[in-house]
Amino acid sequence: MIFQKKASHFVIAVLFLVGGLAPFALRQYQVAMLTEIIFFALYAVSYNLLLGYAGLLSFGHAMFFGTGAFTAAVALVCIPGISIWSDIFLAVLMAILVGLVVGSLLLRTKGAYFALLTLAFNSLFYVVATKWSSVTGGDDGLSITRPNISIGSITIQLAGITSFYYFTLVIIGMAIVFCWYFTHTAMGRTVLLIRENEERMNFLGYNTHISRLLLFVFTGAAAGLAGAFYSLHFQFVSISAISVDMTTTVLLMAFVGGTGTFWGPILGTFVYIIVQSYLSDLTDHWPLFMGLIFVFMVLVMPGGLSQIIQKIPGVFSGKSGDEPGDRVVTEETIL
Amino acid sequence: MTDCLEIIDVYKDYSGLAVLSGVQFTVKRKERHAVIGPNGAGKTTLFNIISGKFRASSGTIRFKGQDISRKSAYALNRLGISRSFQITNVFQELSVFENIRSGVRSRYGLRYHFLRKPDSNARINERTAAIAENLGLKDVLHVPVSALSYGQQRALEIGIALSTDPDLILLDEPTAGMTREETVQAIETIDRVTAGLTLIIIEHDMDVVFSLADTISVLHYGKILISGAPDIIRSDQRVKDAYLGEDHL
Ligand SMILES: Nc1ncnc2c1ncn2[C@@H]1O[C@H](COP(=O)(O)OP(=O)(O)OP(=O)(O)O)[C@@H](O)[C@H]1O
Ligand SMILES: [Mg+2]
């Protein structure tokens, strides 16, 4: 396992600490890039709850991300003076609604049908976003201005790169920590048990369709939150936010990092964003190279980067403090 | 009302192949009821219908007086019906503890909670450990199923069935693949851990069946040939002809 339970607390603390200090050591454009890494990491983590934990291959995660991104942007345009909290809340709410509607329609599907139907729904959302240009801005996209935070009489400026970075670190950071916590909750374990043996779960009193729906909605809400930060960060949103490309992006991030662990996709996002920014400076054909890297990864190390790290003995692993001798697959491969 | 389960005129066919054609018998509360019959007689199919895996083509099933013919598996489990499988059907990659706890926490209503952790629920963990201990799995509590011996896996199969605290437990050939001694041992364990529950067991070993069961139902060509106390079954000519060899009598 990449991080043991106690070690996970430590890693979370270190990540927040490093994240808190990073702006002092980085240039502005790097701080902006780190902001991007953080909300994309939530996007990838939420995706991996479907793929790695529940074993559900979805090609439709961008419909949540895009819904969050567009809702946040459209609300800022249409509701003058809306607070950033209400804006984010609306974005997540819309993602939840999308999850409930689409999820109910996909309730009984799994495997290839599930993958294809999510792809179809994502394409549908993309078409709607393109055609509904009076609201979404169509091909031109929507420009917005990030609002400030006001708590009572105190106002925190969010216009600056660094202040928005800290806002992202706290809010998205907490969301990622909650996702990690989720994997230990009753629901988190249920999802995993269903992946292992859905039939037996039925005979133990679990409604597995409802479980999948709940997970779908939850991961959708998290992706929607990430999408809202995407809009707020770039102060711009275009239909690429809801395109199938955006789904491919999250698939790549998760795969590069490794879907067998909780933290893998975060690592994957980090590497993905940095490599992408590096490549796109060098060549316009960067998607081609990203594609080649992906093919290479899948062929050579299907477990992703975290698999390599796991193989370096003693780097991250120690003896588990909580459950001695517990060699459960879920603790082993998915923590 | 002393009947736990009433099976009334149940038919089942798989796209034309008639497997059950008018099965009828009742199981009293706290009864130890054995279902016997040759291979392919439809015993597992009957369990699949009672437990909600499949629906009967026609007929009615009542559990404690309530018609349950149209209920799904998870709902039936919550009503108090639990089952084991002829072919071990557990969570292979997970520990014995988590296997059993899956049912225990279901029984305690901790199924879909987004905040509460099963790890920090003492009652659930104690109950889980107690079930494992009862079945002799205490020493392998944190071992993944794939590392267990066959006998331990069969014990776990029963442990999972017990984990939701059922009123009615259906055990489908719990001793399948065991030697004679292992079978006798396993039946003793089953008799002990299911004390106080209504038990329906499918079992091929006749000596075991006659010593364990209060009532035996003989399933033959999709119908119940006869259902009654071991003595009656033993002396029934039709059963002799159809199923039991002379050496059993
Ligand atoms: N899902 C299914 N689809 C089609 N036919 C089935 C199905 N399940 C069982 N059958 C058929 O129904 C008949 C009865 O099968 P069943 O498994 O109920 O018998 P059984 O009495 O449990 O036998 P055994 O002692 O071998 O376990 C068999 O002919 C079997 O092939
Ligand atoms: Mg059978």
Side-chain angles (χ1 to χ4, degrees), chain A residues 19 36 43 48 92 119 121 133 151 166 222 325 333:
Chain A
E36 217 180 308
Y43 184 39
N48 193 43
V92 173
L119 180 64
F121 272 108
S133 50
I151 307 162
Y166 279 115
T333 61

Side-chain angles (χ1 to χ4, degrees), chain B residues 44 86 172-173:
Chain B
T44 298
Q86 184 170 356
D172 192 349
E173 294 192 34

